[in-house]
Amino acid sequence: MSFPSPLAIASRNPGKLREILAICADWPVTWLTVETHEGPWPTVEEPHDTYLENALAKARTVATALGAAALADDSGIEVDALGGGPGPRSARYAGEGATDRQNLETLIRALAGVPASGRTARYRCVAAVVWPDGREVWAEGHCEGTLLARPRGTGGFGYDPIFVPAGWERTMAELAPEEKDRISHRGRALRHLRELLEREP
Amino acid sequence: MSFPSPLAIASRNPGKLREILAICADWPVTWLTVETHEGPWPTVEEPHDTYLENALAKARTVATALGAAALADDSGIEVDALGGGPGPRSARYAGEGATDRQNLETLIRALAGVPASGRTARYRCVAAVVWPDGREVWAEGHCEGTLLARPRGTGGFGYDPIFVPAGWERTMAELAPEEKDRISHRGRALRHLRELLEREP
């Protein structure tokens, strides 16, 4: 196995951080997180038009700043009625610095009048590990679903309160955390990434 | 350092599991959790009258069943107006199998009419690691506070929606997860436990 340790998590989002730690609990690594690390923590940006470029940019920034391998993910929601948008711009759909709630309300308004049959969407995630020497590994995961007109549930984050995964009747925000992690785009991407790291020479 | 690895977390509570993983992210161990482990997972009980006995009992059960060292915690709320209760019985205050909400409502009713000045309380936590060979290490942490008459906030679990930590105006359920972890009984107990593990021969 070739898991880098320590491995930094390039996210300041406490919800995402906890999700990653739970999904990757069985990775043989010591984690560096903004919450337990002493000393300055780099600020990362996601300026690109693809998940992969954003994930790699975030992981590279943290790997360079801390001198340790870094794990980053970038994810978004692809709404068929919006031509696949907002996609990699999901976190700033309502504008730069938008909150989850503002983004969610913007998407609900954008879909007003769209019938249930046209409310298909998918969450997509690319997770990447970058080593300080420049080596990179990444993997993708997605989760198909449909979008409600009104939010339900308090779990998760992002667009979870209106996203009903295929095969479920509850929204992602109504699932227990371990149910979400089993089927989510992030869970799938990180488990795929784990397989790639296990195979690394 | 003498951190056992892998280290099992003796809890099926997804909220507690995520809290422990976030607080202990920098422990140099590979975690075994009910969510990522394949195969059966033991059921633990907390039948005792002290946090320490309950924590050790839970860790011993899991360490024996999995053949790996196990980390468990037991915690409770000690309400001065109730003579220090419910204490180690906090999780079953409204009866065996009670939900967080039922326990919370029972405590709110028990304190009806108690003036603000008499609503002092503390959360207490004992965290323990037990090795399969019987070695044991444990540590304690607590967090002083006062109890509101009405719940506020959706974070955390247990009695968090009415517990206002000393020096704060928000309830534990209104704190960001990393704010809670910095001051909580569980955060303090686990960081103390980490120091003991580092010193272990």
Side-chain angles (χ1 to χ4, degrees), chain A residues 30, chain B residues 1-5 26-29 131 135 194-201:
Chain A
T30 301
Chain B
M1 287 202 285
S2 175
F3 287 88
S5 184
D26 60 351
W27 291 27
V29 310
W131 281 256
R135 255 193 312 154
R194 186 191 208 287
E195 289 170 21
L196 297 179
L197 290 168
E198 279 180 333
R199 272 187 245 150
E200 276 284 291

Side-chain angles (χ1 to χ4, degrees), chain A residues 18 25 28 30-31 35 177 181, chain B residues 18 25 28 30-31 35 177-178 181:
Chain A
R18 280 163 177 71
T30 301
W31 299 99
E35 295 180 8
D181 293 345
Chain B
R18 280 164 177 70
T30 301
W31 300 99
E35 295 180 8
E178 73 276 18
D181 294 345

Side-chain angles (χ1 to χ4, degrees), chain B residues 38-89:
Chain B
E38 293 182 15
W41 191 267
T43 298
V44 300
E45 299 186 347
E46 36 193 70
H48 301 289
D49 295 325
T50 67
Y51 306 112
L52 178 57
E53 286 173 292
N54 282 330
L56 289 175
K58 289 187 273 190
R60 283 178 195 139
T61 300
V62 171
T64 303
L66 299 183
L71 167 67
D73 83 353
D74 196 61
S75 52
I77 195 163
E78 299 171 357
V79 182
D80 293 324
L82 302 175
R89 294 191 53 82

Side-chain angles (χ1 to χ4, degrees), chain A residues 174-193:
Chain A
E174 292 175 315
L175 298 184
E178 73 275 19
E179 290 175 325
K180 175 180 176 183
D181 293 345
R182 264 202 304 277
I183 62 165
S184 77
H185 50 308
R186 184 166 295 112
R188 293 180 198 277
L190 288 168
R191 287 188 293 271
H192 185 188
L193 186 58

